[in-house]
Amino acid sequence: MSDSAKISAADPSTRPIPVLEVFGPTIQGEGMSIGRKTMFVRTAGCDYRCSWCDSKFTWDGSAKDEIRMLSAAEIVEELFALGGNTFDHVTISGGNPLLLPQMSFLVQQLHDHGIRTAVETQGSRWQDWLVRIDEVTLSPKPPSSGMETDFEVLDSIVARLLEASGRRDICIKIVIFDEEDLNYARDVHKRYPDVPFILQTGNPQVSHESEDHVSSLLHRYEWLIDRLSELPDLKDARALPQLHTLVWGNKRGV
């Protein structure tokens, strides 16, 4: 093994990062930072296989030829080439970026440039760099996804984030497609009552567009608002649409 290979093996932060997309500036379409101007870095790979995933290309092999192995410095360079001096926020997305310990170096470099960072993850994996992210959205997946939540793992992640020194912004977000998902969300909120809580309408048309796409999403959003209004155990929850799907549908890179 060469000296450089030994260094890479010993220090995960020097490993290249599998990147599918770097794009922006645009707006964050969901979660606690909805509407906020941001750049995006989308990594490849996920440990879940959600039935309604809107980013299946990150794990189903359909975009394997698009994956670029980039260093943290190369990603930062590309972000500034695209966004210039027009941004101060980067969202790290996937897939599940928490599969990648080497993301720690990217997070550090972004902070060195005065850039705030955000990440969304289903709460299935832990990496120490998570406590250095400015805005963490934990999005455990409801029954409609076909996935099962390991609450022992999620409990640990929530506890470590809440206990971390300097931890600023954390929320839990549940995608809602139906009443069963809503009941799951109520149980999750009861489990973590001190964590800001978001309900978000699901998008069933992730693989195609239709003429009534926007009206269908707004109808689902209206249903979610009506149900939220009726439930005393969700009095402090927020109901949000997927803002980017209302504007751009299922288009990538926006």
Side-chain angles (χ1 to χ4, degrees), residues 12-224:
S13 69
T14 64
R15 298 176 194 162
I17 297 167
V19 175
L20 269 170
E21 295 181 310
V22 178
F23 62 92
T26 184
I27 56 131
Q28 174 55 262
E30 56 193 54
M32 74 172 83
S33 300
I34 189 169
R36 200 214 195 280
K37 187 177 183 179
T38 190
M39 300 288 291
F40 276 87
V41 176
R42 187 185 299 280
T43 61
C46 191
D47 50 327
Y48 273 24
R49 299 292 184 266
C50 296
S51 61
W52 38 251
C53 178
D54 61 0
S55 304
K56 286 185 178 180
F57 62 92
T58 64
W59 51 262
D60 68 2
S62 62
K64 62 182 179 180
D65 293 338
E66 301 176 39
I67 298 173
R68 294 179 294 154
M69 302 303 294
L70 302 178
S71 69
E74 288 171 327
I75 295 172
V76 171
E77 181 179 359
E78 188 163 333
L79 285 166
F80 279 104
L82 288 170
N85 64 353
T86 67
F87 71 98
D88 64 358
H89 188 276
V90 170
T91 300
I92 301 169
S93 184
N96 185 8
L98 269 295
L99 296 176
L100 306 170
Q102 64 267 43
M103 296 296 293
S104 59
F105 196 46
L106 175 61
V107 174
Q108 180 60 54
Q109 288 207 14
L110 291 171
H111 283 168
D112 289 346
H113 283 86
I115 305 297
R116 285 180 62 85
T117 54
V119 72
E120 178 173 324
T121 177
Q122 60 263 38
S124 60
R125 300 291 183 96
W126 174 265
Q127 299 289 350
D128 288 342
W129 56 262
L130 193 58
V131 299
R132 301 171 63 195
I133 296 291
D134 297 297
E135 301 163 9
V136 176
T137 297
L138 298 174
S139 185
K141 305 309 178 187
S144 62
S145 70
M147 299 293 102
E148 292 189 11
T149 302
D150 187 331
F151 280 104
E152 184 175 343
V153 173
L154 187 58
D155 287 349
S156 174
I157 291 173
V158 171
R160 294 172 79 169
L161 286 172
L162 292 177
E163 293 169 3
S165 175
R167 178 74 256 126
R168 282 169 285 180
D169 294 318
I170 174 177
C171 77
I172 291 176
K173 185 196 79 177
I174 311 291
V175 176
I176 305 296
F177 279 86
D178 52 34
E179 198 70 34
E180 187 178 11
D181 287 353
L182 187 58
N183 288 332
Y184 168 89
R186 296 168 73 182
D187 289 340
V188 171
H189 188 39
K190 186 183 301 182
R191 194 177 188 102
Y192 312 111
D194 298 326
V195 181
F197 195 69
I198 294 171
L199 304 176
Q200 180 182 290
T201 49
N203 174 15
Q205 300 178 21
V206 295
S207 60
H208 65 281
E209 301 286 355
S210 67
E211 292 183 359
D212 66 342
H213 181 71
V214 171
S215 61
S216 174
L217 291 175
L218 289 176
H219 180 73
R220 287 175 171 274
Y221 187 39
E222 183 180 11
W223 172 83
L224 182 59

